[in-house]
Every structure is written in structure tokens, then in C-alpha cells.
């Protein structure tokens, strides 16, 4: 739940209030699953391994994922 709140706030942080209210910039929301950890990234558990395995509770990882989402 905290991950969802943080990603929503960070995505909205770049939108000035006037733009968000006028509707000229679409609001983007994402659900961030924070359950990936050291035990997730094994071939017998995940069929498609990420290029860089991560622990989603790490604030730096979350910030990187948010930046990647904003850039997409």
C-alpha cells in the first residue's frame, strides 16, 4: 500500500496543479507490488528474469522504477 501511495505521489509531483486540474495532462496511476525480494529471482519461481534482479522494498529501487515509468 505504501508503494502505491509513493508512486502515485511521485508521478503526480511533476504535474503542476493548474495542468492537473485543467485536464491538459492525463493523470497516470500505477500499482507497485512490493513483494519482490531476494528469494523471488530464481529460475524455478519466475519464468522471465529481469535484467537486474531487485528487492522492491529498497527505496532506491522504487525511485528507479518510478523514474523508468515516468520516462516511458
Amino acid at each position: 500500500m505504501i508503494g502505491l501511495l509513493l508512486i502515485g505521489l511521485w508521478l503526480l509531483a511533476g504535474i503542476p496543479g493548474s495542468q492537473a486540474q485543467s485536464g491538459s495532462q492525463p493523470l497516470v496511476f500505477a500499482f507497485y507490488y512490493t513483494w519482490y525480494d531476494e528469494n523471488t529471482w530464481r529460475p524455478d519461481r519466475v519464468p522471465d528474469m529481469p535484467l537486474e534482479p531487485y528487492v522492491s522494498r529498497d527505496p532506491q529501487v522504487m525511485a528507479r522504477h518510478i523514474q523508468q515509468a515516468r520516462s516511458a
Side-chain angles (χ1 to χ4, degrees):
M1 185 62 167
I2 291 174
L4 173 61
L5 176 61
L6 290 176
I7 199 166
L9 291 175
W10 278 334
L11 287 172
L12 292 175
I15 301 173
S18 62
Q19 288 181 337
Q21 290 175 359
S22 71
S24 62
Q25 291 285 336
L27 296 177
V28 177
F29 296 92
F31 188 83
Y32 191 79
Y33 293 98
T34 58
W35 60 58
Y36 297 109
D37 64 16
E38 301 86 352
N39 299 313
T40 303
W41 309 117
R42 297 191 330 234
D44 62 322
R45 296 192 69 174
V46 181
D48 54 343
M49 301 284 285
L51 294 175
E52 185 178 335
Y54 59 90
V55 176
S56 53
R57 68 177 174 272
D58 181 337
Q60 290 179 340
V61 168
M62 190 180 296
R64 184 179 78 238
H65 289 170
I66 291 167
Q67 184 57 44
Q68 290 170 341
R70 292 178 90 183
S71 298

